[in-house]
Amino acid sequence: MILPIRAFGDSVLRKVGKDIDKDYPALQELIDNMFETMYSANGIGLAAPQIGLDIRLFVIDVTPLADDEDYEDIKDELAAFKKVFINAQILEESGEEWKFNEGCLSIPDVREDVKRKETIVIEYYDENFVKHTETFSDIRARVIQHEYDHIEGILFTDHLSALKKKLVKGKLSKITQGDVSINYKMRFPK
């Protein structure tokens, strides 16, 4: 089932997510719905707060990037990178900070350069509640960091300079009012 994505200004996007356990109601159905919602919006990541749930869950599927010539050197890794992250905790961020132009399904029509560290170590549970501690670099680390921010109540616009925040303020205001053209289901703040 395709769920409406919460728009910038919705208070749930600012909540720190709560841990869940393997008995969370209809967990597999929720995960399936999140992937379906993400795909319908042409996204590569989606966090539970974006569909109105303040829990520590996000899904990622970067397989579409495997066909991008910018990622030719990691094509095989990207082609197999579809994951569920439950109760994730980033344990370490390292390496150089690098800029990348980010966007967000909850903030349509806004894209800005964001600096993030190139490598992360993350601990999480998968959809079968098997615990993992893994290291990721490159675009995979970037997407994980973006989605991880969502379960911490942080949006990519929070990483912008004061000047950039002023420049996008008008666009953000329009989003909160529902004045945006999108091709996926969205729920705007009341």
Side-chain angles (χ1 to χ4, degrees):
M1 174 171 52
I2 297 172
L3 305 168
I5 294 173
R6 300 298 176 100
F8 179 86
D10 192 309
S11 62
V12 73
L13 296 174
R14 293 305 188 173
K15 292 183 178 179
V16 175
K18 300 177 192 93
D19 282 350
I20 62 172
D21 61 29
K22 65 180 191 277
D23 297 322
Y24 188 83
L27 180 59
Q28 189 56 56
E29 181 181 354
L30 172 60
I31 291 167
D32 293 343
N33 289 343
M34 287 179 68
F35 274 115
E36 186 177 357
T37 299
M38 179 184 75
Y39 295 141
S40 76
N42 295 313
I44 57 173
L46 186 70
Q50 293 180 275
I51 56 161
L53 300 173
D54 61 342
I55 59 173
R56 298 187 75 80
L57 167 64
F58 59 89
V59 299
I60 291 175
D61 185 351
V62 297
T63 58
L65 300 179
D67 295 330
D68 190 318
E69 62 188 39
D70 290 340
Y71 306 114
E72 186 64 35
D73 56 332
I74 56 169
K75 179 179 186 152
D76 293 340
E77 291 90 339
L78 295 179
F81 199 80
K82 177 182 176 181
K83 289 188 175 285
V84 174
F85 293 80
I86 299 171
N87 301 339
Q89 292 293 330
I90 291 182
L91 305 176
E92 182 183 329
E93 295 177 313
S94 61
E96 296 293 317
E97 283 192 337
W98 58 291
K99 282 185 184 178
F100 188 83
N101 193 260
E102 291 189 23
C104 180
L105 296 176
S106 292
I107 311 174
D109 297 336
V110 176
R111 296 195 64 85
E112 290 293 336
D113 287 343
V114 175
K115 287 183 183 178
R116 296 190 191 270
K117 296 281 189 177
E118 63 187 349
T119 302
I120 61 166
V121 178
I122 188 167
E123 181 179 272
Y124 68 97
Y125 292 89
D126 64 21
E127 62 273 24
N128 299 310
F129 265 83
V130 175
K131 191 174 189 177
H132 301 267
T133 302
E134 295 183 288
T135 301
F136 296 104
S137 294
D138 58 61
I139 191 68
R140 292 167 295 171
R142 162 86 44 182
V143 176
I144 291 168
Q145 288 166 312
H146 179 105
E147 297 309 325
Y148 181 83
D149 274 357
H150 276 299
I151 65 172
E152 292 291 322
I154 299 168
L155 300 172
F156 86 92
T157 51
D158 298 339
H159 295 284
L160 302 179
S161 68
L163 175 61
K164 287 283 190 183
K165 286 178 183 176
K166 283 183 182 179
L167 293 174
V168 300
K169 188 176 181 182
K171 287 182 180 179
L172 297 177
S173 179
K174 285 184 174 194
I175 293 168
T176 61
Q177 297 166 19
D179 184 12
V180 63
S181 177
I182 49 170
N183 62 355
Y184 52 90
K185 282 173 76 171
M186 194 157 217
R187 181 173 166 193
F188 298 94
K190 296 185 190 281

